[in-house]
Amino acid sequence: MAQGDDADRGPVRHRVAGLLPPRRCTETRVDQVPAATAQQLDASDPQVVDLLRDEAGRRLDQQHATITQLDTKAAGLVAAGIALASYLLATDTAGFVVAAALVAHAGVVIMGLAALAARSWSNAPAPDKLLALLDKQPRQVSDVVLRAKVQAFAENAPNLVAKSDWVKLATWCLGLAMVLTCTARLT
């Protein structure tokens, strides 16, 4: 396999997370919009630009809420991994299953921290861009703000995908770690 082929499939994290449930829907379908509706939209109409800007703002807000929820889940996974590993270390059991459980808990903590590290999120437009718009016409301001919001949404998407992949992997690893912890306590 050529090196370019491997790069096209994405990072290993993304490929492994894509195999685990739940499946993420990444395809957006716009072919369902009736042609008459699409023809009625006039990009030079200020109301259309305002509508698009408001919708882009709502999408950025949803993106931020999702990132915050994933951060909360990742922090919970890290705490659970540490707590269960501490529980195992506090008991007097030993053996292969205990070692495997500790490795799995360490994996949960590491993946949870990786999810927390994928944090950068851009809102739009940046304050310096807003200051530069003070002397512009309202139509120009609206156009710049819309473009900045769409650009920020696109820039945030890879971080959101990485964060969700790490949370999914950590969740599955925690399930394995819990099974191993229970097995270690039963043996």
Side-chain angles (χ1 to χ4, degrees):
M1 176 186 321
Q3 188 175 6
D5 294 338
D6 191 39
D8 292 340
R9 293 187 303 172
V12 173
R13 163 199 44 84
H14 186 68
R15 287 184 277 161
V16 172
L19 297 174
L20 298 171
R23 302 267 186 223
R24 178 177 36 248
C25 179
T26 58
E27 185 177 310
T28 303
R29 302 220 25 186
V30 293
D31 59 346
Q32 303 294 328
V33 177
T37 303
Q39 291 172 355
Q40 292 172 355
L41 295 177
D42 181 11
S44 64
D45 183 3
Q47 290 179 332
V48 171
V49 174
D50 289 343
L51 174 71
L52 292 173
R53 189 189 65 244
D54 292 344
E55 181 60 25
R58 278 191 291 280
R59 297 291 174 105
L60 276 172
D61 291 343
Q62 289 172 349
Q63 206 176 41
H64 185 260
T66 301
I67 287 172
T68 302
Q69 290 171 352
L70 288 171
D71 277 345
T72 302
K73 290 176 185 178
L77 288 164
V78 169
I82 291 171
L84 289 171
S86 299
Y87 168 75
L88 272 178
L89 291 171
T91 61
D92 58 350
T93 58
F96 175 75
V97 178
V98 172
L102 288 172
V103 168
H105 288 301
V108 170
V109 171
I110 290 168
M111 287 182 230
L113 291 174
L116 289 170
R119 178 63 181 143
S120 74
W121 180 77
S122 299
N123 199 353
D128 58 333
K129 282 189 178 184
L130 286 175
L131 290 176
L133 297 174
L134 288 176
D135 60 342
K136 303 287 185 190
Q137 295 295 322
R139 174 76 177 141
Q140 292 172 319
V141 171
S142 190
D143 183 54
V144 169
V145 169
L146 173 60
R147 290 177 190 278
K149 286 183 177 191
V150 171
Q151 182 180 3
F153 185 82
E155 289 172 359
N156 293 335
N159 291 330
L160 183 60
V161 169
K163 185 178 288 294
S164 66
D165 285 348
W166 283 121
V167 167
K168 183 191 284 189
L169 292 171
T171 302
W172 279 92
C173 191
L174 180 63
L176 172 66
M178 290 173 69
V179 167
L180 290 170
T181 300
C182 290
T183 304
R185 287 303 298 152
L186 295 174
T187 56

